[in-house]
Amino acid sequence: MKIDGACHCGYITIEGEADPEKSTICHCTDRQTGTGSAFRVSVPVSGATFRMSGQATTYLKTTADSGNPRVQAFCPRCGSPIYSTTPGDGPQPSYTVRVGILRQRKEFTPRRQNWFRSAQPWVTGLAALHKNEKQA
Ligand SMILES: [Zn+2]
């Protein structure tokens, strides 16, 4: 399906095509640090369809849990994570886009969880927590 989205401040916008069936949670410790949260939800977008406006800031994470170097891209103004991809010049084959920046985020229910051995133990118990419809 077609997707589009923007960072928190709107400087970076993206569009492309993504399959909701490929939406994935990653619990690895790099994702916990990189999000400042317990996990990240991402979906792959083929390089052939991926478009971005604005100039993202990137850095190369060479010691990811997977052992594969990954380029991490952020908005330089607001810090929102945008995507990760393979290192190299020019367009890459695939961009792993952060579902939280997508306007269609509700349609990207995660279908699997990776690196579950690193998951925070409380993530499986969220349904039992008291729920406030807005901030209490
Ligand atoms: Zn921004």
Side-chain angles (χ1 to χ4, degrees):
M1 65 179 287
K2 286 198 179 300
I3 56 162
D4 61 270
C7 66
H8 196 239
C9 77
Y11 172 65
I12 302 283
T13 64
I14 66 102
E15 58 182 50
E17 291 184 23
D19 180 357
E21 293 292 325
K22 295 187 176 168
S23 186
T24 301
I25 289 173
C26 185
H27 292 282
C28 83
T29 55
D30 280 332
R31 298 297 84 75
Q32 291 179 27
T33 304
T35 61
S37 188
F39 55 83
R40 170 173 282 168
V41 187
S42 301
V43 69
V45 177
S46 75
T49 67
F50 183 73
R51 300 288 179 270
M52 183 173 69
S53 70
Q55 189 67 45
T57 293
T58 61
Y59 87 100
L60 181 62
K61 177 68 174 175
T62 57
T63 56
D65 283 352
S66 66
N68 300 320
R70 295 288 289 174
V71 172
Q72 306 286 331
F74 304 86
C75 173
R77 297 182 182 176
C78 71
S80 297
I82 308 297
Y83 65 79
S84 65
T85 191
T86 45
D89 294 331
Q92 298 300 305
S94 181
Y95 294 82
T96 306
V97 171
R98 310 319 182 197
V99 166
I101 69 168
L102 301 180
R103 196 163 53 89
Q104 300 82 6
R105 65 177 73 92
K106 283 189 174 178
E107 297 178 57
F108 285 81
T109 301
R111 300 304 205 276
R112 66 194 62 77
Q113 304 182 70
N114 291 338
W115 290 93
F116 196 75
R117 73 180 191 189
S118 303
Q120 293 298 310
W122 51 262
V123 298
T124 57
L126 290 177
L129 295 185
H130 178 75
K131 297 165 188 70
N132 301 311
E133 290 299 321
K134 293 188 173 183
Q135 186 170 345

